[in-house]
């Protein structure tokens, strides 16, 4: 009944003449209220301002997350290419709409960097994050772009999505597995969210002396490219571990590629070869969910 | 257990709630846009300010993408240029091989009528003071060094590609009133907002400035983008005109450029009886040469191409403030030709100038300190201007348009926000250094030849001759200049 009323109200809101236009701050407040309803009983007015600020810092191209911003196009191209190769028979897809008709989960979406890009490419995207603050930031940013119509953010964990029996054509868990408590279990849960023959992507950092030197010592402590404490080297995962987690989770690892950063050009690059040094640092894995019913 | 269930159902509702939030949050933006008719706001991906050749070329290159593009031009984009074999516009450009390849790619090259594009296969460059000369030929496998095309015909060809594809929203004869960074409230996205004088506004995720108009657009662009430009004005004006020639049996397929101490003078072929003039002159001479009677003007140009430097100086001193000639220019030119050194290149003889085709403009060297900021990209004249002695200005501008279109397409492929500075940096990286190198070399060629200093003249004569006899070095110069120095 309650749902019914809500739909009626939405309908009325849509046909109402646009005389009383709702300013952004009000829109945001309303939105945060709606989304907060089930998590907290009261909405702190100052929160909206806080998250607005946080969102603009998160999305600042020269701020704390600059490295991640710069890495994003490389990750998206990798997903795009793998999807074309493995799900679309290698056919050339529309440049702007290759994910049309696909439902993609971005687990650990943070401020929505990957989710927005996937939505622009035509996918129906669910951005999920266990951090409610992240979800609010992502929502606040997404309504600033009229092109992001098929994007939905949810404050929810992977486990809860499995409980809800959610299924996706593609699941992306990028730069997240090194932050979870039990990566093996996390991989298993993520895999349950993928439809048979769907694709699953993980990206993370290899546990090597090189990665300690660059990602902890240099990037965090000496050069402060990312805030100190962002990473815990012990939680880094080797490609072998990653592949065995995937195999255990009924996924067939198809490709593992290194991604390297050039601090002079400030560009990330996918390393296509399988040289010894290629997987020393950041890498991305694409795997296919096995179809066990056949 | 019960608790978990309750939480789940609440979560499900919150999801629905969010779905509705998006639905109700988005429409007000659009409603706002369409509700107030006098302020009807056009929302697009790329808004190009300045529909000159470079701006139109960018719009044309983007017309095959899925993007919504707006093009704003103060003048009339739909003017149909005359196609009368005997009259030519005085503004022509020398289009290099790479420019033509790009124009073919965007289907604009075929739209230029065959009789409005003149290839030249030879280019003769020589020095009025020393004896240096150098001849360039079309590289093997290439049809020509470059093609001379009138700017208005090129422009019309580009516009025809836009009207054919219907992808671009054209704001024709629309002057820009203001450019502001849009607010994040009241239905805006924080994108740049261009307000036209008729009150219409255009919001775009990427604003590209392609032209600096005399209407102060230049300063508005710089104020908005906070991009400074470096450079200087040359103490020179460019004088252009369409000239009538004595037809020759050999045909007119050579470009001629002579370095006078006052600046280079160039003759670019249009057809067997016409060529286009580009002459760098001291500013005080510009009004005199523009008002000199047509017959006398033709003769002084003849002397500038074939006479000695003192002969040319004498003739220019014989022009009164009202443009009247106080010497017999025809007779002087005849004598000057007789005295001309043997072995000097012999460009076609000029017999007249097309009525009202003389015009002049100041010459500048400018380069913006950067070509891009968040949500802003500068291309063509808005980014840089060069001395026309190498005829490279338009080629550089078209290369900017090509490069920016390329970068935008890369951004589309990875779902990037096209106004994102990280994406636009790729455009600056691709163009800034190569433009700067070209500008420096053009500037130093101009300075090298703008002197009568003895040792310098000897050296440059030597340089030109040595270069002329050494194929590989010449090829390198040709390659560097995009296969064209004129």
């Amino acid at each position: 009944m309650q749902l019914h009323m809500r739909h009626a109200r939405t309908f009325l809101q849509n046909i109402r003449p646009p005389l009383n236009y709702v300013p952004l701050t009000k829109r945001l407040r309303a939105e945060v209220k709606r989304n907060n309803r089930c998590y907290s009983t009261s909405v702190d007015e100052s929160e909206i301002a806080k998250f607005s600020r946080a969102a603009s810092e998160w999305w600042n191209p020269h701020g704390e997350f600059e490295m991640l911003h710069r890495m994003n196009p490389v990750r998206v191209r990798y997903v795009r290419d793998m999807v074309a190769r493995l799900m679309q028979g290698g056919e050339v897809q529309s440049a702007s709409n290759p994910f049309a008709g696909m439902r993609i989960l971005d687990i650990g979406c943070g401020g929505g960097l990957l989710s927005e890009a996937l939505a622009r490419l035509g996918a129906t995207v669910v951005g999920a994050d266990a951090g409610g603050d992240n979800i609010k930031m992502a929502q606040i940013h997404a309504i600033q772009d009229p092109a992001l119509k098929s994007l939905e953010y949810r404050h929810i964990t992977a486990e809860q999505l499995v409980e809800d029996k959610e299924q996706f054509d593609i699941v992306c868990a990028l730069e997240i597995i090194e932050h979870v408590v039990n990566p093996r279990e996390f991989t298993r849960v993520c895999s349950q969210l993928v439809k048979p023959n769907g694709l699953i992507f993980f990206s993370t950092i290899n546990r090597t002396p090189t990665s300690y030197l660059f990602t902890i010592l240099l990037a965090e402590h000496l050069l402060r490219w990312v805030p100190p404490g962002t990473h815990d080297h012990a939680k880094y995962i080797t490609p072998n571990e990653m592949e065995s987690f995937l195999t255990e989770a009924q996924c067939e690892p198809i490709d593992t590629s290194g991604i390297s950063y050039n601090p002079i050009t400030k560009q990330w690059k996918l390393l296509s070869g399988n040289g010894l040094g290629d997987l020393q640092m950041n890498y991305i894995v694409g795997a296919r969910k096995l179809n066990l019913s056949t | 257990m019960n608790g978990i269930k309750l939480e789940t159902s609440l979560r499900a509702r919150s999801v629905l709630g969010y779905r509705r939030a998006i639905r109700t949050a988005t429409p007000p933006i659009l409603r706002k846009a369409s509700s107030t008719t006098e302020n009807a706001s056009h929302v697009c991906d790329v808004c190009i300010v300045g529909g000159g050749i470079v701006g139109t070329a960018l719009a044309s290159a983007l017309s095959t993408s899925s993007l919504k593009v707006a093009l704003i031009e103060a003048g009339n984009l739909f003017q149909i240029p005359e196609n009368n074999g005997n009259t030519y516009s005085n503004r022509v450009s020398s289009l290099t091989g790479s420019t033509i390849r790009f124009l073919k790619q965007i289907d604009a090259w075929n739209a230029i009528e065959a009789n409005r594009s003149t290839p030249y296969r030879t280019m003769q460059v020589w020095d009025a003071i020393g004896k240096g000369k150098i001849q360039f030929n079309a590289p093997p496998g290439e049809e020509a060094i470059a093609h001379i095309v009138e700017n208005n015909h090129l422009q019309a060809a580009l516009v025809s590609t836009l009207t054919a594809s219907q992808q671009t929203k054209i704001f024709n004869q629309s002057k820009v009133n203001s450019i502001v960074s849009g607010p994040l409230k009241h239905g805006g996205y924080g994108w740049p907002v261009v307000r036209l004088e008729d009150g219409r506004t255009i919001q775009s995720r990427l604003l590209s400035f392609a032209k600096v108009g005399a209407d102060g657009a230049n300063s508005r662009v710089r104020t908005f983008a906070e991009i400074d430009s470096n450079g200087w004005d040359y103490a020179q004006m460019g004088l252009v005109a369409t000239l009538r020639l004595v037809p020759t049996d050999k045909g007119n397929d050579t470009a001629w450029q002579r370095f006078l101490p006052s600046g280079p003078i160039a003759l670019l072929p249009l057809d067997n009886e016409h060529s286009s003039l580009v002459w760098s002159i001291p500013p005080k001479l510009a009004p005199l040469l523009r008002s000199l009677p047509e017959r006398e003007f033709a003769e002084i140009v003849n002397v500038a191409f074939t006479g000695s430097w003192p002969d040319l100086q004498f003739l220019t001193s014989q022009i009164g403030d009202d443009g009247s000639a106080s010497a017999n220019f025809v007779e002087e030119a005849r004598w000057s030709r007789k005295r001309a050194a043997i072995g000097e290149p012999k460009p076609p003889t000029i017999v007249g100038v097309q009525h009202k085709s003389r015009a002049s403009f100041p010459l500048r060297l400018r380069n913006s300190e950067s070509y891009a900021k968040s949500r802003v990209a500068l291309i063509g004249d808005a980014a840089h201007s060069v001395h026309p002695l190498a005829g490279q200005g338009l080629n550089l501008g078209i290369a900017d348009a090509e490069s920016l279109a390329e970068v935008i397409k890369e951004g589309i492929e990875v779902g990037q926000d096209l106004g994102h500075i990280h994406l636009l940096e790729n455009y600056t990286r691709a163009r800034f250094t190569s433009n700067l190198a070209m500008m420096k070399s053009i500037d130093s060629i101009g300075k090298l030849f703008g002197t009568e200093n003895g040792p310098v003249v000897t050296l440059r004569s030597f340089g030109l001759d040595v270069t002329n006899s050494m194929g590989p070095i010449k090829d390198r110069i040709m390659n560097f200049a995009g296969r064209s120095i004129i």
Side-chain angles (χ1 to χ4, degrees):
Chain A
M1 184 58 202
Q2 205 180 353
L3 274 177
H4 189 77
M5 284 301 292
R6 279 189 185 176
H7 281 302
R9 209 169 60 205
T10 310
F11 178 66
L12 282 175
Q13 274 169 349
N14 280 338
I15 57 161
R16 194 170 54 192
L19 292 171
N20 52 346
Y21 158 75
V22 189
L24 183 87
T25 43
K26 267 198 186 157
R27 256 156 45 208
L28 290 179
R29 200 168 294 143
E31 195 159 316
V32 171
K33 254 185 194 159
R34 276 189 205 101
N35 284 287
N36 251 25
R37 193 167 295 160
C38 53
Y39 305 110
S40 62
T41 47
S42 67
V43 181
D44 185 354
E45 288 287 317
S46 68
E47 273 207 332
I48 295 147
K50 190 182 101 189
F51 289 121
S52 254
R53 269 198 309 276
S56 63
E57 177 50 32
W58 205 93
W59 281 91
N60 176 2
H62 304 294
E64 274 184 20
F65 296 96
E66 177 173 357
M67 298 280 279
L68 199 57
H69 281 246
R70 290 188 183 277
M71 187 196 247
N72 201 47
V74 181
R75 311 189 299 189
V76 175
R77 190 172 289 280
Y78 182 84
V79 172
R80 186 191 166 121
D81 289 349
M82 288 289 279
V83 168
R85 201 179 107 196
L86 300 169
M87 294 177 84
Q88 296 163 335
E91 276 175 45
V92 178
Q93 299 299 311
S94 141
S96 58
N97 230 11
F99 297 150
M102 291 189 171
R103 188 156 188 256
I104 306 185
L105 171 68
D106 174 14
I107 187 84
C109 65
L113 202 51
L114 179 70
S115 298
E116 286 197 5
L118 297 173
R120 280 197 196 92
L121 291 172
T124 301
V125 178
V126 174
D129 205 292
D133 295 2
N134 283 346
I135 290 299
K136 283 174 214 154
M137 285 191 325
Q139 286 169 341
I140 284 167
H141 192 265
I143 58 171
Q144 295 167 25
D145 189 333
L148 302 172
K149 293 203 178 77
S150 58
L151 172 58
E152 179 191 341
Y153 287 113
R154 290 161 72 170
H155 178 193
I156 193 168
T157 64
E159 287 82 354
Q160 288 164 331
L161 283 165
V162 172
E163 266 179 51
D164 289 0
K165 302 204 171 8
E166 290 281 4
Q167 288 280 285
F168 298 89
D169 298 292
I170 298 160
V171 170
C172 295
L174 306 189
E175 266 65 50
I176 181 73
I177 194 166
E178 69 272 22
H179 299 284
V180 305
V181 180
N182 185 343
R184 182 188 305 262
E185 178 61 14
F186 180 69
T187 309
R188 197 184 63 79
V189 172
C190 287
S191 162
Q192 290 179 319
L193 294 165
V194 191
K195 290 180 190 167
N197 294 322
L199 296 183
I200 184 163
F201 295 91
F202 284 89
S203 69
T204 184
I205 309 174
N206 194 354
R207 194 171 63 249
T208 61
T210 321
S211 70
Y212 180 79
L213 182 70
F214 284 96
T215 65
I216 310 278
L217 213 58
L218 276 175
E220 287 189 11
H221 296 284
L222 296 176
L223 299 172
R224 298 282 162 104
W225 283 341
V226 291
T230 299
H231 292 117
D232 175 355
H233 191 256
K235 282 189 165 182
Y236 287 3
I237 292 151
T238 69
N240 281 343
E241 288 164 353
M242 192 67 243
E243 283 172 22
S244 76
F245 295 162
L246 280 164
T247 313
E248 285 169 33
Q250 272 97 45
C251 292
E252 172 200 1
I254 308 272
D255 177 88
T256 305
S257 293
I259 305 177
S260 76
Y261 181 70
N262 179 339
I264 308 292
T265 61
K266 294 188 173 179
Q267 301 261 306
W268 289 88
K269 202 175 88 187
L270 191 76
L271 304 169
S272 47
N274 268 326
L276 269 179
D278 283 2
L279 301 178
Q280 285 293 302
M281 300 264 296
N282 295 76
Y283 66 95
I284 186 162
V285 181
R288 186 184 358 229
K289 175 75 177 287
L290 296 177
N291 188 353
L292 295 174
S293 60
T294 57
Chain B
M1 191 59 200
N2 217 356
I4 291 172
K5 248 192 187 158
L6 180 68
E7 206 187 302
T8 315
S9 73
L10 279 171
R11 195 167 51 240
R13 250 192 277 154
S14 111
V15 167
L16 288 169
Y18 179 69
R19 280 212 183 110
R20 200 189 63 237
I22 283 278
R23 228 179 272 140
T24 52
T26 318
I29 298 166
L30 304 172
R31 276 191 235 138
K32 168 78 176 174
S34 53
S35 62
T36 45
T37 41
E38 75 276 18
N39 283 332
S41 185
H42 183 74
V43 180
C44 64
D45 295 300
V46 183
C47 174
I48 303 163
V49 179
I53 290 170
V54 172
T56 315
L58 175 62
S60 179
L62 295 177
S63 66
T64 51
S65 72
S66 54
L67 298 177
K68 281 172 79 183
V69 179
L71 179 65
I72 305 171
E73 166 59 30
N76 184 5
L77 275 175
F78 301 111
Q79 238 164 10
I80 296 163
E82 246 178 79
N83 188 355
N84 167 349
N86 293 319
T87 28
Y88 290 91
S89 157
N90 57 8
R91 300 307 303 271
V92 302
S93 292
S94 168
L95 305 179
T96 61
S98 52
T99 300
I100 291 169
R101 268 188 289 281
F102 171 63
L103 293 174
K104 281 180 180 163
Q105 208 180 306
I106 59 175
D107 284 336
W109 185 248
N110 291 337
I112 299 172
E113 301 91 323
N115 66 326
R116 309 312 294 198
S117 142
T118 313
Y120 62 88
R121 293 167 184 86
T122 315
M123 179 167 63
Q124 184 72 57
V125 181
W126 75 110
D127 189 354
I129 300 290
K131 292 200 181 313
K133 63 176 178 189
I134 183 166
Q135 182 177 315
F136 295 100
N137 294 307
E142 292 272 345
E143 178 202 0
I145 293 174
H147 284 68
I148 305 294
V149 176
E150 292 151 281
N151 291 359
N152 55 356
H153 280 265
L154 174 55
Q155 168 87 44
L158 287 163
V159 170
S160 75
T161 67
L162 295 186
T163 43
S165 80
Q166 304 259 324
Q167 268 281 358
T168 313
K169 166 90 177 155
I170 297 175
F171 293 84
N172 195 38
Q173 291 178 304
S174 299
K175 289 206 168 77
V176 172
N177 176 279
S178 68
I179 303 162
V180 293
S181 200
L184 256 178
K185 47 188 180 180
H186 305 306
Y189 309 115
W191 293 355
V193 178
V194 176
R195 181 176 294 279
L196 302 179
E197 280 187 350
D198 62 15
R200 286 180 294 178
T201 58
I202 299 129
Q203 285 188 67
S204 60
R205 55 175 87 236
L206 172 61
L207 189 57
S208 180
F209 294 103
K211 197 161 77 174
V212 285
D215 57 349
N218 191 10
S219 58
R220 276 207 293 271
V221 171
R222 305 230 172 269
T223 313
F224 177 75
E226 295 176 333
I227 296 176
D228 280 337
S229 75
N230 303 309
W232 50 84
D233 292 5
Y234 292 104
Q236 278 180 327
M237 298 280 277
L239 178 76
V240 293
T242 306
L243 303 176
R244 280 197 308 279
L245 317 171
V246 177
T248 59
D249 304 335
K250 288 180 287 180
N252 188 12
D253 66 353
T254 303
W256 307 84
Q257 178 161 24
R258 190 187 198 202
F259 281 96
L260 298 162
S262 53
I265 182 168
L267 195 62
L268 309 169
L270 293 170
D271 65 24
N272 210 22
E273 294 171 35
H274 295 88
S275 279
S276 187
L277 174 78
V278 187
W279 189 2
S280 307
I281 50 172
K284 62 175 183 354
L285 216 53
L288 307 186
L289 285 172
R290 275 206 318 270
S291 48
L292 193 65
E294 290 181 4
R295 180 79 192 129
E296 276 71 18
F297 181 76
E299 291 304 345
I300 199 170
V301 174
N302 276 325
V303 173
F305 273 111
T306 56
S308 68
W309 173 235
D311 284 354
L312 181 61
Q313 280 180 305
F314 170 73
L315 278 188
T316 49
S317 72
Q318 299 303 306
I319 309 173
D321 285 343
D322 55 350
S324 61
S326 47
N328 185 339
F329 276 43
V330 181
E331 205 49 26
E332 293 291 341
R334 203 164 61 82
W335 278 105
S336 175
R337 207 168 302 139
K338 279 190 175 169
R339 282 198 299 272
I342 298 161
E344 282 262 304
K346 289 204 163 39
T349 304
I350 292 131
V351 292
V353 55
Q354 186 181 298
H355 190 52
K356 286 187 171 169
S357 73
R358 280 175 278 178
S360 61
F361 48 88
L363 302 183
R364 297 199 168 90
L365 181 129
R366 285 270 185 288
N367 200 18
S368 295
E369 59 184 22
S370 160
Y371 292 174
K373 281 271 166 89
S374 180
R375 303 209 177 279
V376 179
L378 310 182
I379 58 173
D381 281 353
H384 48 74
S385 62
V386 297
H387 193 293
L389 79 85
Q392 285 300 318
L394 194 65
N395 290 300
L396 295 184
I398 291 176
D400 290 347
E402 183 181 8
S403 168
L404 182 58
E406 200 70 27
V407 165
I408 287 173
K409 281 177 187 167
E410 278 167 30
I412 293 174
E413 284 180 8
V414 291
Q416 244 172 319
D417 179 347
L418 301 181
H420 201 289
I421 185 62
H422 289 169
L423 179 67
L424 299 176
E425 274 172 8
N426 297 342
Y427 161 66
T428 294
R429 193 176 308 116
R431 293 304 301 157
F432 186 81
T433 325
S434 72
N435 280 349
L436 193 67
M438 177 64 81
M439 295 172 83
K440 272 189 175 158
S441 75
I442 292 169
D443 185 53
S444 53
I445 291 173
K447 286 198 172 122
L448 178 65
F449 285 94
T451 177
E452 290 174 77
N453 177 312
V456 177
V457 172
T458 312
L459 269 175
R460 78 179 182 226
S461 302
F462 181 69
L464 275 184
D465 264 350
V466 168
T467 320
N468 198 29
S469 56
M470 290 171 75
I473 292 182
K474 236 163 63 171
D475 290 349
R476 206 173 304 163
I477 293 176
M478 291 278 278
N479 278 329
F480 178 67
R483 304 224 162 82
S484 163
I485 283 201
I486 292 187

